[in-house]
Structures are given as structure tokens and as C-alpha cells.
Amino acid sequence: MAVYERNLARSTGSRAAPAARRAEPLLRIGRKWRKTLLIAHVVSAGAWIGIDVMVAVLVLTGRFGTTDEVRGLAYQALAAFVVWPMLVSALACLVTGVVLGLGTRWGLLRYWWVAVKLVLNAVLCVLIVVALQPGMAEVGEYGRTLGPGVPEPAGITNLFFPPAVSLTALTFATVLAVAKPWGRVRGGRRGGGPR
């Protein structure tokens, strides 16, 4: 079909063919709303990264703190304050990203970099609920009872992995958002619409 439109445009001298090939977004979003959504997306991603840095600091403080009191407070803070702000910022990032994908030429599954960011965001949201949140009660309890001779639960030694994995994935997603590598999913040209 696109070849027919190109040939028709050449024969008639029309310049309408390139516009016809350009991908149309599924949602109509005005310029102001698109900018607002983009700002919300960037802010929620930044908040998520900041929360992950805070998690890393609390985990390291809990592990290598100078006193049992400081270590216990770090674990209690981790259990009490981390999961829900992280989940809210992750979901805000996911929702704004999906709406932006549906409302811009980038689409959700049109370009590899967008699809990979979507998958990373969804996987990290699931990991917050499935892997991080269930162990937080044990972490908080350990922080309250921390003292000489108190055995360390198995989940405490694994607390380093959530911020390491999340920060790596979020940094990679940020690089993807800036570099926009790999082109179109279905082999189309990077800057154009569907063939």
C-alpha cells in the first residue's frame, strides 16, 4: 500500500504521501497535556531513582552501621517507609509512560527502546510487590530487636539486591530514553511511520 501511495505521489507531484506514512497516535493529546504528562513521567522516574538511592543508603547503614541502635533504626525505616512510596512512583511512571506511548508517535510497541522501557517498568513494579514488600515485616521486626546475639534473618543478607537491580534497570531506561537506540520493532525506518 505504501509503495502505491509513493508512486501515486510521484506521478501527481503531491507531497501528501510522507504525511500519510507518519504513524498516528492512538490517543489525541494536546501539546500542553503532552508536556504535563512528560514532566510527570520524568518527575516520577526521578522520585523512583531517589527512593532507590535511599533504600541503598538504608541497607548499607543497616549492614555496616556503627551501633546496633543505628542499624536497627535503618532497618525499621526501610520497613516502614520504602515500599509504598517506591510503588506509587513506579506506577506513576508506568501510567504516564503508557499514556505518552499511546498519545505520541513513539507508540508503546512501535520502537524497541519504548518497548524495553515498558517491560523494565512493568517487571520492576511486579518485583516491588512480589519480592520486596513481603519481607519488609521481617526486616522491621529485626530492626526493633537488633542487638548482640540476635540472629540475622536470611532476607537481610539479600537486601542489597533490590536497589542494585532497580538502579541498574532505571539507569538503563534513562539511557534508552535519551539515546533512543535500535529503531522500529517491525523493521520500519527509525524516523518515519509504518510502511
Side-chain angles (χ1 to χ4, degrees), residues 6 19 23 26 45 66 71 90 93 100 108 120 124 133 148 156 160:
R6 258 185 272 146
L26 293 175
T66 55
R71 293 178 60 223
C93 191
L100 281 168
L108 281 181
L120 283 174
L124 289 175
Q133 194 274 331
I156 297 295
F160 174 74

Side-chain angles (χ1 to χ4, degrees), residues 103-137:
T104 63
R105 70 181 177 100
W106 299 111
L108 281 181
L109 301 173
R110 193 173 294 148
Y111 288 86
W112 281 109
W113 68 272
V114 179
V116 170
K117 280 184 60 182
L118 176 64
V119 168
L120 283 174
N121 197 326
V123 167
L124 289 175
C125 285
V126 169
L127 286 175
I128 291 169
V129 174
V130 172
L132 185 62
Q133 194 274 331
M136 285 297 110

